[in-house]
Amino acid sequence: MSFPLLTATAALPAIGAIATAAVPAARRTAAKWLALAVSLGTLVLAGIVFARFEPGGDRYQLTESHAWIKDFGVRYELGVDGIGVALLALTALLIPFVILAGWHDADPLETNSSRWRPTQGFFALILMVEAMVILSFVATDVFLFYILFEAMLIPMYFLIGGFGDRAHSGSDENAAAQRSYAAVKFLLYNLAGGLIMLAAVIGLYVVAGSFSLSEIAEARANGTLDMATSTERWLFLGFFFAFAVKAPLWPLHTWLPNAMGEATTPVAVLITAVVDKVGTFAMLRFCLQLFPEASKWATPVILVLALISIVYGALLAVGQRDIKRLIAYASISHFGFIVLGIFAMTSQGQSGATLYMVNHGLSTAALMLVAGFLITRRGSRLIADYGGVQKVAPLLAGTFLVGGLATLSLPGLAPFVSEFLVLVGVFSAYPVAGVIATVGIVLAALYVLVLYQRTMTGPVREGIGGMPDLKVRELAVALPLIALLIFLGVFPKPLTEVVDPAVQHTMQDVQKKDPQPEVEAAK
């Protein structure tokens, strides 16, 4: 038997989470270093997975399959395609930065022992989320994916509700209440989506007799899968609803600004750069592959929802006074672009959407983590409390600017490539939708540049004068992310060559071909 590389990649952070939680309370620093070492080890394994993946090979590679619940046909079945391997690498890459950025976020508050928070638990929960997200990107059994899809809500609930942002403008009691509200809202929204998905998962088994993606695909190819049109559409809606909540897509998005605003900055990055990608990834892997006809049937409505997300999220970002909530609404707009690219049903759109998932993760992590360093120094999330930062902390202002420029998809930075591909794919199939989507680009420039102007330029405000610049640990977080944004902005080939073959498989699933350009014959 070959080495179970995919299982090992997910098992290492899971075991590391248990080990980190077991570190004695007095050894907080040891727990931090252990969690960081485990995350780096996971990154090495993820790098091996990425290196061993053959873009021109089988659709699912490094496969593993073992009986799990025999009576119900549930298997522990894993396999990675080009889309999954890109997102697996993103997850493993971001977690060490999340841990480094949150190095002191769960330290006990010495002035009030009643607010002591277990440092070990904070880092253990982050590692547990990593393990579940990695497994969700490689699970090819629908029931196994559903278990992971729901289980990751538990550690995320405790991370949001138990380790809130210390830069809260209200009283301690008010901060705790808002943190609890955000955590419960996150849980209820996602549980509601998960319960509807569970009904659809059961319905799929009744119709197909299997939870295995490969078996269902084989049955469809052989003509032995008899799924009525109405049945396929209802099952599609059950899956899509859960994924739209997780993504999040308008109008199921309202939990995200609360969760990101009240969580610590590293946890906010974990939510939008890692966990939410499971929703958009699942649209590609499960909605389009399992329900191709229903996906095409629902496309017009989904495109409208995606366009509303793009414009609505960008407009609300423009009007925000809270830095973290501004980034949250910007993410809603960006997820609209991702969904738009997926359901444009063109190879450029879907390749762009997959790259957008990766590049959005990098750009949002860079911007949000540097914003977190800024907020920690000032003790406030309000934009109005800043001004003139670039004069006293030029490194902080510079990295913040690059993260912001990546968020607005400046040419030369990674998100530009993905946004350009999405728009090319959308314009070729739905020109009107492409025109509307460009409004989001204009608004992105507005909210990013206004944010930078109000926080970094102008006279130095009171309380900013003694602000220290980025320290070594913080530079170790910001500079690699910026380097990756530049590298993938000028040389995206390492991602495109693994993503494109997987996109072609998805296009075959839905039996769609790229629209041919109309060229007038020469006279």
Side-chain angles (χ1 to χ4, degrees), residues 274 278 295 387 454:
V274 177
V278 176
S295 297
R454 292 179 178 176

Side-chain angles (χ1 to χ4, degrees), residues 508-522:
Q508 293 172 10
D509 290 334
V510 294
Q511 298 179 349
K512 294 282 287 185
K513 294 183 179 180
D514 291 328
Q516 296 298 315
E518 297 181 3
V519 181
E520 294 184 2

Side-chain angles (χ1 to χ4, degrees), residues 264-494:
T264 65
T265 301
V267 172
V269 171
L270 193 65
I271 294 170
T272 189
V274 177
V275 173
D276 286 355
K277 299 301 187 298
V278 176
T280 47
F281 162 79
M283 292 179 189
L284 279 166
R285 170 164 286 188
F286 297 101
C287 287
L288 269 61
Q289 185 173 345
L290 293 174
F291 315 110
E293 293 303 319
S295 297
K296 290 184 284 187
W297 163 75
T299 289
V301 174
I302 295 173
L303 292 181
V304 171
L305 296 179
L307 289 172
I308 294 174
S309 290
I310 291 170
V311 178
Y312 172 85
L315 282 173
L316 264 65
V318 170
Q320 289 302 305
R321 296 180 298 173
D322 183 310
I323 297 175
K324 291 174 69 177
R325 291 178 70 90
L326 185 153
I327 298 173
Y329 280 110
S331 291
I332 292 170
S333 181
H334 295 149
F335 276 107
F337 274 105
I338 294 171
V339 175
L340 189 70
I342 292 172
F343 284 90
M345 300 289 184
T346 61
S347 60
Q348 298 98 329
Q350 293 187 356
S351 293
T354 304
L355 292 179
Y356 215 129
M357 287 186 246
V358 176
N359 295 333
H360 171 263
L362 295 174
S363 61
T364 300
L367 180 60
M368 179 64 89
L369 291 177
V370 175
F373 300 149
L374 177 69
I375 292 168
T376 299
R377 285 162 166 73
R378 184 71 173 91
S380 173
R381 306 194 315 239
L382 299 179
I383 297 173
D385 289 337
Y386 295 89
V389 174
Q390 67 180 11
K391 296 179 180 178
V392 297
L395 286 176
L396 194 157
T399 52
F400 189 85
L401 177 61
V402 176
L405 294 176
T407 298
L408 63 81
S409 299
L410 183 76
L413 297 175
F416 170 77
V417 178
S418 45
E419 195 167 275
F420 177 78
L421 285 174
V422 167
L423 289 175
V424 168
V426 173
F427 267 109
S428 65
Y430 304 96
V432 175
V435 171
I436 297 173
T438 56
V439 175
I441 300 175
V442 177
L443 292 174
L446 180 61
Y447 62 70
V448 168
L449 296 179
V450 169
L451 172 64
Y452 184 82
Q453 179 190 33
R454 292 179 178 176
T455 55
M456 301 295 166
T457 66
V460 179
R461 288 185 63 89
E462 183 180 355
I464 300 296
M467 179 178 290
D469 212 338
L470 293 181
K471 301 177 182 178
V472 174
R473 174 179 60 86
E474 295 164 333
L475 286 171
V477 171
L479 294 183
L481 291 173
I482 290 173
L484 279 169
L485 288 170
I486 296 172
F487 174 77
L488 294 175
V490 298
F491 188 65
K493 183 179 178 181

